[in-house]
Amino acid sequence: MPAVWTTRDIHVTLRQVLRQGYSIRAINLRHHTNSTTIDTANMGQRISTLFQPKQRLVYPTWRRSDHHDLYKSEKLGDVRIHDPYNGLEKDDPERTKWLQEQADLTSWYLKRSNHTEKYRETLEKNYDYHRFSAPTVAGDGSCYWYYNEGLADQYRLYRSDELPNFDANLPEGPEKQAQVFFDPNLLSEDGTSSLATTAISKCGKFFAYGVSKAGTDSFSVYIRRTDSPFNQDTAGKYKGNFEEEPGRLPDIIRFVKFSTIVWAHDSSGFFYQRFPEPQQEGPRPEEKKSSGIETGKDRDAAVYFHRLDTKQSEDVLVFKDPENPEHLFGVSITEFDGRWLELYTSRDTSHKNKLWLADLHADKIGQNMRWYKVIDDFDAEYSIEANDDRKFYVVTNKDAPRKKVVTFELPEHEDLQNGTRSIEFKEFIPEDKDGAVLDAFSAANGKAFIVQYSKNVHDEVWIVGHDGLLKERLDPDFLGSMSVSCKRRDDFFFVTMSGFTNPSMVKLYRFPEANSDKTEKATYTLWRKTYLSGLLPEEFSAKQVWYKSTDGIRIPMFIVRHKDTPTNGTAPAIQYGYGGFSYTIAPFFSPSMLTFVKAYRGILAVPGIRGGAEFGEDWHLAGIREKRVQVFNDFIQATKYLEDNRYAGKGKVAINGGSNGGTLVAACVNRAPEGTFGAAVADVGVMDLLKFHRYTIGSAWISDYGNPDDPHDFDFIKDYSPLHNVPTDRVLPPVMLLTGDRKLGFLVTSAKEHFLTMICVLKTTIA
């Protein structure tokens, strides 16, 4: 096995972890992350890691310093916090050596399991099936979709001249009618470079793509013509050296971060967000952060326009805000007419933004564009989804925690500026009073709209008329996740459906006539479905239960089991959670999780705890700042429910989460009574909640976590920060901390400091 691990390397078992009496209390794993998001499909293989009993591990050591940080407390005044492992924040050869020693120890330990190879073989078999996305039709009529034949590290992008016609009831898909247009597996030798974002120009002739290296959030953007594919035949010899490949245009746009690519409708160029060029020198411009580990604070973002066949130094500055250097920007262009440039300004992750508009038909692109300040404060979330000339359709949570759709007519610029007219919002689709959350809204076929709701964490898709009234619900008996892919110009759209026991399928809806909201005589047919080679979905079942948290609030939870899973309170379980930033964990299909459930006759449990958006913004707000402890209580109570109701054996529940979910796992390990959990796996969690805001994008998380520099906030953050609350009065379950090498470098350091703290605090419990 390799010394540096990827998530696909972790195919080992959980059976012995869930037994009692283990001596291992913490283990660290270094791995590369190939994407900027947590992939739930890999969670089960991480959790199913074997901890063997009665083995003494000698962990690599790190010197402890006497460094202290000074904070202000509302209750105590000045407070000095010992930070003995602050040396890990510096990227130097000493830290590199320590990391390699950790990786070597982990590799040695995991290889000792006699279950590893058998489990790996089973997992590989269960992953070896065709996966795909819904297609996208470009402006020239060509069709694009992502496809993975089974075990490729990354999905390939396929292209055909038109929407393929094939038999959806046969396993063979449309790939033989198409070509591999872009293969991201050729970007690097080790598979650590990936596509961060892509966009096809409106004319269909150009393809812009951002490439992230080693999982960093920063990326560079490249451009190629759509008649110049990047595949094994055309670029195979440039694998790992793609910048030298002659098929792309010479344009390179660097230092892009937290940005999409937004093409102008004349395909002359695109808008993007970038940050200032880093000051440190590196071998290449995009690597000027030394090793690429991201620790500096993200400041001074700006929106630029890049014109094709020009140097980045010639890009046009569109907008920046020097008075608010930590603000972030998003841009979009109205889809149907390409006239209006939308500028969204956010100061944090609180789902509140400003909304400005500029007329691309009237003004030259640049800093002197006149902005219509539709929303100029941070009172709610606003997102334009469609327009009819100066009439705009907006999704908002203003006075609607479960969201609604409103419209407004944009006054002439002079009328708006001199105050003779103001923005007046009119309700188009009201907030659902029965508890459904409006997740998405889009225009289709000229005069129709598609709305997606989530009700009790099940998705619903409706066709809406031009009058805002619901006309038809699609697949009313389906329970799971649904998403819609459509364009207003097209008389069709695609619906992708999946669930805990349902691999992906794509359906095609065609309106009976163009430019109409009529649904009579429309067709709705299967376009493509997944054929599994290992797992049999009919062997599994999923149901939703409700349990009460510590304050009496009912929490939903999905429970997935195999037909052979016992119901006598002896089954092992994986409990997965997130609980933050208004993110909903919708039903997902995971071969990794299901492999564990089948192999060990266990269950998968996914509670919809507070902090997410399972029931709208109020559900999110009930789990932020001082109320975050309730998120932890919700998660701990889920485990108690599984045990009390004999879904899982006592001490046999392994908890897992990534990013904010990793923080959740670590906090729950600290807080739960001894014996609550059988094991814990925390992926890239924020463990030091007193310093997160000092690095990269961390200050944007203050809206959820609180501000450690505020004396009032410091007091409640200090009480639940995982790093500062490792208990000494009880035995903790086996814990695995996973982290990346480069993505949000503070998270890397934070996890390693937490690991060392556990070793130090719990040294008397490590046999």
Side-chain angles (χ1 to χ4, degrees), residues 93-112:
E94 184 180 12
R95 187 175 87 156
T96 300
K97 179 176 179 292
W98 184 82
L99 290 174
Q100 188 58 53
E101 291 174 351
Q102 289 290 345
D104 291 343
L105 175 64
T106 303
S107 179
W108 167 83
Y109 192 79
L110 297 180
K111 284 192 295 186
R112 299 176 69 244

Side-chain angles (χ1 to χ4, degrees), residues 285-313:
E286 77 274 20
E287 296 171 352
K288 287 192 175 182
K289 287 188 179 181
S290 184
S291 66
I293 295 176
E294 302 176 356
T295 56
K297 202 167 187 178
D298 291 322
R299 296 169 60 90
D300 301 310
V303 176
Y304 283 83
F305 180 78
H306 175 78
R307 194 170 297 278
L308 287 180
D309 297 321
T310 64
K311 297 180 180 180
Q312 184 175 11
S313 59

Side-chain angles (χ1 to χ4, degrees), residues 216-219 255-259 273-278 289 292-302 321-322 324-329 346-348 691-701 742-747:
T216 60
D217 287 312
S218 298
F219 58 89
F255 320 118
V256 186
K257 195 173 187 180
F258 310 130
S259 177
Q273 174 183 261
R274 61 159 288 185
F275 287 83
E277 181 176 342
K289 287 188 179 181
I293 295 176
E294 302 176 356
T295 56
K297 202 167 187 178
D298 291 322
R299 296 169 60 90
D300 301 310
D321 187 357
N324 296 286
E326 294 183 5
H327 283 182
L328 297 174
F329 310 106
S346 301
R347 59 184 177 184
D348 51 36
K691 295 170 70 174
F692 71 90
H693 62 307
R694 303 179 187 177
Y695 300 90
T696 61
I697 194 64
S699 60
W701 307 336
R742 297 170 185 267
K743 175 180 167 63
L744 296 181
F746 171 67
L747 300 186

Side-chain angles (χ1 to χ4, degrees), residues 154 184-194 238-242:
Q154 301 183 56
N185 298 288
L186 300 176
L187 292 173
S188 60
E189 292 285 353
D190 60 3
T192 59
S193 292
S194 60
Y238 295 98
K239 183 176 183 179
N241 194 26
F242 68 91

Side-chain angles (χ1 to χ4, degrees), residues 326-605:
E326 294 183 5
H327 283 182
L328 297 174
F329 310 106
V331 294
S332 188
I333 294 177
T334 48
E335 177 202 347
F336 203 54
D337 55 15
R339 176 179 178 181
W340 301 99
L341 177 65
E342 307 159 17
L343 176 67
Y344 299 90
T345 302
S346 301
R347 59 184 177 184
D348 51 36
T349 56
S350 63
H351 293 270
K352 298 177 180 179
N353 61 271
K354 294 183 179 181
L355 170 58
W356 293 5
L357 291 171
D359 189 347
L360 293 173
H361 290 182
D363 293 339
K364 182 180 179 180
I365 295 174
Q367 293 189 77
N368 295 324
M369 299 177 73
R370 296 174 299 168
W371 292 101
Y372 296 77
K373 299 181 180 181
V374 179
I375 300 295
D376 200 31
D377 53 28
F378 297 100
D379 70 330
E381 181 178 27
Y382 300 87
S383 177
I384 293 175
E385 302 299 338
N387 76 299
D388 293 318
D389 194 18
R390 302 181 79 92
K391 180 181 180 180
F392 294 84
Y393 298 83
V394 179
V395 174
T396 181
N397 60 7
K398 174 68 172 176
D399 301 322
R402 292 185 296 275
K403 295 187 181 179
K404 61 184 178 182
V405 181
V406 297
T407 65
F408 71 88
E409 293 277 353
L410 187 67
E412 294 297 329
H413 192 274
E414 292 74 15
D415 294 339
L416 188 63
Q417 293 296 94
N418 63 28
T420 58
R421 289 186 62 189
S422 60
I423 300 296
E424 178 183 358
F425 290 97
K426 296 181 179 179
E427 196 169 79
F428 184 66
I429 300 178
E431 180 185 26
D432 186 87
K433 301 303 181 184
D434 294 329
V437 180
L438 196 156
D439 275 347
F441 172 84
S442 51
N445 198 33
K447 294 184 178 180
F449 299 95
I450 315 298
V451 65
Q452 178 183 325
Y453 287 104
S454 175
K455 189 171 185 178
N456 292 335
V457 208
H458 293 297
D459 287 344
E460 300 178 1
V461 171
W462 290 80
I463 297 176
V464 179
H466 70 280
D467 54 4
L469 298 179
L470 302 183
K471 294 175 67 70
E472 180 184 2
R473 181 182 172 186
L474 304 182
D475 286 297
D477 296 327
F478 178 78
L479 298 178
S481 299
M482 306 175 75
S483 62
V484 174
S485 174
C486 69
K487 289 184 171 65
R488 193 170 190 180
R489 67 167 187 258
D490 296 332
D491 63 356
F492 60 87
F493 62 88
F494 294 94
V495 180
T496 302
M497 306 160 64
S498 63
F500 289 112
T501 63
N502 301 295
S504 177
M505 71 172 68
V506 177
K507 287 190 171 184
L508 172 63
Y509 185 99
R510 284 193 180 275
F511 288 90
E513 60 182 70
N515 198 34
S516 169
D517 63 358
K518 293 181 179 179
T519 59
E520 296 81 5
K521 297 184 180 181
T523 60
Y524 184 48
T525 57
L526 177 68
W527 190 77
R528 191 171 192 179
K529 68 178 181 180
T530 301
Y531 291 88
L532 297 178
S533 58
L535 296 165
L536 298 176
E538 58 268 23
E539 293 184 352
F540 300 88
S541 62
K543 71 175 183 178
Q544 188 178 55
V545 299
W546 297 76
Y547 66 93
K548 287 186 178 181
S549 189
T550 51
D551 59 354
I553 296 297
R554 297 175 73 239
I555 312 293
M557 177 163 58
F558 290 106
I559 297 177
V560 183
R561 63 184 301 274
H562 186 261
K563 63 182 180 64
D564 294 331
T565 298
T567 57
N568 59 0
T570 62
I574 296 174
Q575 180 180 310
Y576 177 74
Y578 189 79
F581 299 93
S582 200
Y583 177 76
T584 298
I585 303 179
F588 57 89
F589 185 79
S590 169
S592 179
M593 295 287 200
L594 294 184
T595 298
F596 164 80
V597 170
K598 179 178 180 178
Y600 299 109
R601 299 194 304 164
I603 69 166
L604 165 65

Side-chain angles (χ1 to χ4, degrees), residues 69-225:
D69 293 311
L70 182 64
Y71 296 90
K72 296 288 186 181
S73 165
E74 189 175 65
K75 298 176 181 177
L76 303 174
D78 289 349
V79 176
R80 289 168 57 82
I81 302 294
H82 190 200
D83 186 11
Y85 304 116
N86 64 306
L88 280 170
E89 297 174 14
K90 183 179 180 181
D91 181 31
D92 58 19
E94 184 180 12
R95 187 175 87 156
T96 300
K97 179 176 179 292
W98 184 82
L99 290 174
Q100 188 58 53
E101 291 174 351
Q102 289 290 345
D104 291 343
L105 175 64
T106 303
S107 179
W108 167 83
Y109 192 79
L110 297 180
K111 284 192 295 186
R112 299 176 69 244
S113 168
N114 56 9
H115 291 265
T116 300
E117 288 308 314
K118 181 179 180 180
Y119 197 82
R120 179 194 294 274
E121 291 172 3
T122 302
L123 196 58
E124 185 170 287
K125 178 182 177 182
N126 291 344
Y127 262 109
D128 193 8
Y129 68 95
H130 296 194
R131 300 185 289 281
F132 46 84
S133 70
T136 296
V137 179
D140 62 352
S142 58
C143 185
Y144 295 83
W145 67 94
Y146 286 95
Y147 174 76
N148 189 324
E149 69 275 13
L151 298 177
D153 288 336
Q154 301 183 56
Y155 284 63
R156 296 177 176 88
L157 181 62
Y158 278 74
R159 180 183 188 274
S160 63
D161 292 337
E162 59 184 6
L163 188 64
N165 183 20
F166 63 101
D167 189 343
N169 293 306
L170 296 178
E172 183 175 300
E175 283 68 40
K176 288 187 177 180
Q177 305 176 31
Q179 70 171 166
V180 176
F181 172 69
F182 196 96
D183 186 354
N185 298 288
L186 300 176
L187 292 173
S188 60
E189 292 285 353
D190 60 3
T192 59
S193 292
S194 60
L195 290 176
T197 186
T198 64
I200 302 169
S201 64
K202 299 302 176 181
C203 67
K205 295 180 179 179
F206 301 101
F207 176 71
Y209 53 102
V211 177
S212 168
K213 297 183 178 180
T216 60
D217 287 312
S218 298
F219 58 89
S220 297
V221 176
Y222 307 87
I223 309 163
R224 63 193 314 108
R225 295 182 61 89

